[in-house]
Amino acid sequence: MELRYSFPIDLTANQTNYYWFEKGFSPEELTEIERLVANIDFVRAQTQAEDNNLTENEYRKSNIKWLPLTQEYKWIYDKIGDMAYEANQNLYHFDLHSMPEQIQYTEYYDHEKGHYDWHMDTGHGNLSQRKISVTVQLSDGDEYEGGDLQLWPGGTYPLVAPRGKGNVVIFPSFMMHRVTPVTRGTRKSFVLWLGGGHYR
């Protein structure tokens, strides 16, 4: 006897592409962000992944800051959350609950060829809650060379996210992605993750 299994599906979802907002943050908002992050100390970026015979410095080179979820920064979380919600409604259709983590501000420097090699934002433990990743570009595209955000949904060539100060790029956290080495200037960005539960 042939067995058949049938489950409800949503054929409108597309979880193999990115969603983006051109100039999602205004010049005035970007100036205020620059003022706010100046008050936070840098730490050296690390990764929780087991490093397959690579050192942390070979795999990821950047400095980061963590933005607390306080009233002073709340408008940034709200704005990113609204854009992520729109992307999820229109493209991904994930079951989202919360923003369980803080915004990470990152700088990549040319003198050390700052980069972050291929990785996913999901993993074990707390990382398993991530479903949507958000990157906010804080540098103009002509302020640095290299430093492309590339996403690999499968196939021959990766997708290259649009450069531009204030642009917001949103993609599934399980999608492989990287920041290529910066060869001139400094690349600045925000990242934030949304989810709050296992995939379903």
Side-chain angles (χ1 to χ4, degrees):
M1 181 178 69
E2 182 180 357
L3 296 177
R4 294 183 181 271
Y5 296 92
S6 178
F7 303 96
I9 59 174
D10 181 356
L11 296 178
T12 66
N14 179 356
Q15 298 171 358
T16 62
N17 207 345
Y18 65 84
Y19 192 97
W20 74 292
F21 296 84
E22 185 174 12
K23 298 181 180 178
F25 282 81
S26 70
E28 294 77 19
E29 290 171 328
L30 293 171
T31 297
E32 177 62 10
I33 287 171
E34 187 175 353
R35 185 190 70 82
L36 288 171
V37 300
N39 299 321
I40 304 173
D41 292 333
F42 273 115
V43 296
R44 192 64 176 165
Q46 296 181 336
T47 167
Q48 294 185 15
E50 294 184 5
D51 60 8
N52 297 328
N53 299 320
L54 294 175
T55 68
E56 292 283 338
N57 283 341
E58 290 173 333
Y59 192 75
R60 182 183 188 186
K61 289 184 178 181
S62 61
N63 286 346
I64 63 173
K65 303 181 180 189
W66 296 98
L67 277 63
L69 183 49
T70 61
Q71 195 62 39
E72 188 175 23
Y73 299 92
K74 182 178 180 297
W75 67 272
I76 306 174
Y77 284 86
D78 289 344
K79 192 173 182 72
I80 293 175
D82 288 344
M83 287 186 277
Y85 178 81
E86 178 181 323
N88 191 56
Q89 290 292 102
N90 289 327
L91 210 58
Y92 306 126
H93 302 185
F94 292 136
D95 185 13
L96 298 180
H97 296 289
S98 65
M99 298 179 193
E101 300 174 75
Q102 294 180 334
I103 293 171
Q104 182 186 110
Y105 171 88
T106 309
E107 291 190 357
Y108 299 88
Y109 308 120
D110 57 3
H111 67 268
E112 62 179 11
K113 291 185 170 55
H115 67 277
Y116 196 168
D117 214 339
W118 288 111
H119 65 285
M120 295 186 295
D121 288 340
T122 58
H124 63 277
N126 290 338
L127 301 187
S128 68
Q129 299 181 58
R130 296 176 176 176
K131 297 179 182 178
I132 284 181
S133 298
V134 182
T135 296
V136 181
Q137 301 282 349
L138 301 176
S139 303
D140 278 324
D142 59 1
E143 291 179 341
Y144 62 97
E145 293 178 357
D148 285 324
L149 172 61
Q150 297 183 341
L151 306 107
W152 193 70
T156 305
Y157 301 106
L159 304 173
V160 181
R163 296 161 73 106
K165 195 170 185 176
N167 288 353
V168 180
V169 178
I170 300 167
F171 55 93
S173 296
F174 55 69
M175 186 179 289
M176 293 290 290
H177 59 284
R178 69 175 177 177
V179 176
T180 63
V182 173
T183 57
R184 181 185 63 82
T186 299
R187 180 187 187 272
K188 304 175 183 179
S189 63
F190 274 160
V191 294
L192 179 64
W193 308 273
L194 292 87
H198 299 298
Y199 278 98
R200 61 188 181 117

